[in-house]
Amino acid sequence: MAAKRLFLGSHLPMRAPDSYLGTCHLALEYGETAFMFYTGAPQNTRRVPLSRLKIKEGRSFLADHAFPESKIVVHAPYIVNLAARSDPLSAEAAVSFLVDEFRRVAGFGLTTLVLHPGSATGETPQEGIRNVARGLDEVLERDGTNVRIALETMAGKGHEIGRNFKEIAQIISLSKNQGRIGVCLDTCHLNDAGEDVKDLDGLLTSFEETFGLRKLLVIHLNDSKNQRGSHKDRHENIGYGTIGFSTLEKWVGDPRLADVPKILETPPANSIQTYKKEIAMLRSGIYDPKWRDRFL
Ligand code: FE
Ligand code: FE
Ligand code: ZN
């Protein structure tokens, strides 16, 4: 039986001493065909030199297992905020951190960086949108890689920018580097922002009209702890939230999304072994009720 073409995996840790090699081992162990990681702690910008991360070892392990590197993505640290520019020093710090981060992504042999647009804390949403476009242009002007940015759709918590397709589209259209900016759809964020995630056809039609489907670079596949429109952003395990297994399985199986890497960012109930179980269920299309009880 030919295996279905499916690029599905999870967010994975990268920890010393095995670093990237260890991350790649975990991906195989969990049955993943795509994954995402941070190049360092997501809450700060301290970074270990690439030479200490066992990248060569990781990449040759991936090659031995015919793992598609094009389906591996990096997530930028969430403290990077391009939307707020009231503090010129921190704006410059965010830009130069991202320039370095692009170099790191390329150093792993990868081409996709997921980025939160940021929060407009001291400015209007429109100013925030303009700031993000300007910040991205400053980064890309100084960048010598071919890394693409995937701007993530957000739940609309607080002053978050990117709470709907329109805001993301405005950022892209204001940028001078539109060809290097795409989109990451997060099912939990979409739901919490008020979109109907169950209406996949409707969402994809609207995405196609706004961006063109080619701009869809990454999907974050999460259930949500909260109701549609709650603006909360609390991820839930597959099948335990308000989105539900059958909808998420529809996203996994849709042929229009076949080439897009799908990444779980669900809560690890005691152990990230939960990813292995969630992936197996989504792959088979068979839901195992109360599966999480075995991990608690
Ligand atoms: Fe994210
Ligand atoms: Fe996400
Ligand atoms: Zn989230």
Side-chain angles (χ1 to χ4, degrees):
M1 193 180 74
K4 193 165 79 181
R5 184 174 50 137
L6 172 60
F7 302 107
L8 175 64
S10 70
H11 169 240
L12 291 174
M14 180 169 68
R15 279 189 293 248
D18 284 338
S19 301
Y20 193 52
L21 177 61
T23 309
C24 297
H25 273 274
L26 274 180
L28 260 283
E29 189 186 326
Y30 295 166
E32 309 196 355
T33 45
F35 66 86
M36 181 175 79
F37 66 103
Y38 288 99
T39 65
Q43 70 276 15
N44 68 51
T45 53
R46 282 191 304 273
R47 291 296 177 264
V48 170
L50 291 186
S51 57
R52 291 193 354 227
L53 294 177
K54 300 217 168 141
I55 296 174
K56 226 176 68 205
E57 292 88 334
R59 293 191 72 185
S60 72
F61 177 80
L62 293 173
D64 288 346
H65 294 86
F67 196 104
E69 281 186 305
S70 63
K71 308 304 175 190
I72 303 172
V73 303
V74 172
H75 198 307
Y78 45 74
I79 50 145
V80 169
N81 184 6
L82 291 179
R85 292 193 77 115
S86 40
D87 176 358
L89 219 69
S90 60
E92 168 51 30
V95 167
S96 52
F97 175 82
L98 279 177
V99 172
D100 285 345
E101 184 74 352
F102 270 59
R103 231 175 272 139
R104 274 188 293 273
V105 174
F108 281 88
L110 304 176
T111 52
T112 311
L113 178 65
V114 173
L115 177 71
H116 293 180
S119 283
T121 44
E123 46 278 287
T124 65
Q126 273 312 309
E127 284 166 339
I129 286 166
R130 275 198 300 273
N131 289 343
V132 179
R134 182 177 145 198
L136 289 177
D137 280 343
E138 287 173 11
V139 172
L140 292 168
E141 230 161 75
R142 283 158 58 180
D143 171 64
T145 72
N146 61 349
V147 173
R148 309 167 299 177
I149 295 167
L151 287 174
E152 182 166 355
T153 55
M154 303 310 290
K157 208 173 34 170
H159 301 278
E160 269 173 355
I161 298 294
R163 73 196 92 185
N164 53 45
F165 288 176
K166 207 176 133 216
E167 290 191 350
I168 303 265
Q170 282 182 315
I171 295 169
I172 297 176
S173 68
L174 286 169
S175 162
K176 299 182 196 113
N177 297 278
Q178 298 182 17
R180 302 223 8 222
I181 309 171
V183 182
C184 167
L185 289 183
D186 184 312
T187 54
C188 169
H189 297 178
L190 287 170
N191 173 78
D192 291 15
E195 299 290 345
D196 184 4
V197 175
K198 297 186 166 91
D199 177 18
L200 179 56
D201 284 335
L203 262 175
L204 289 186
T205 302
S206 140
F207 192 97
E208 172 68 29
E209 283 164 2
T210 312
F211 305 101
L213 221 44
R214 277 177 38 250
K215 284 278 188 201
L216 182 48
L217 303 183
V218 181
I219 290 170
H220 285 170
L221 202 72
N222 302 305
D223 216 324
S224 171
K225 282 194 203 291
N226 293 99
Q227 294 303 320
R228 185 178 160 194
S230 63
H231 302 295
K232 291 272 209 256
D233 188 5
R234 298 203 50 216
H235 303 187
E236 182 54 289
N237 287 112
I238 304 297
Y240 280 81
T242 57
I243 298 174
F245 182 80
S246 63
T247 294
L248 293 165
E249 200 243 329
K250 214 161 68 179
W251 280 66
V252 166
D254 194 290
R256 291 167 290 185
L257 305 176
D259 285 320
V260 184
K262 299 166 189 79
I263 311 290
L264 298 166
E265 303 172 297
T266 49
N270 275 338
S271 141
I272 62 168
Q273 287 275 348
T274 47
Y275 288 140
K276 186 176 182 174
K277 179 66 182 171
E278 289 173 301
I279 288 164
M281 290 188 298
L282 288 166
R283 204 174 262 288
S284 67
I286 300 162
Y287 188 64
D288 180 6
K290 300 206 178 137
W291 64 269
R292 195 173 62 181
D293 295 4
R294 269 171 277 138
F295 292 88
L296 293 170

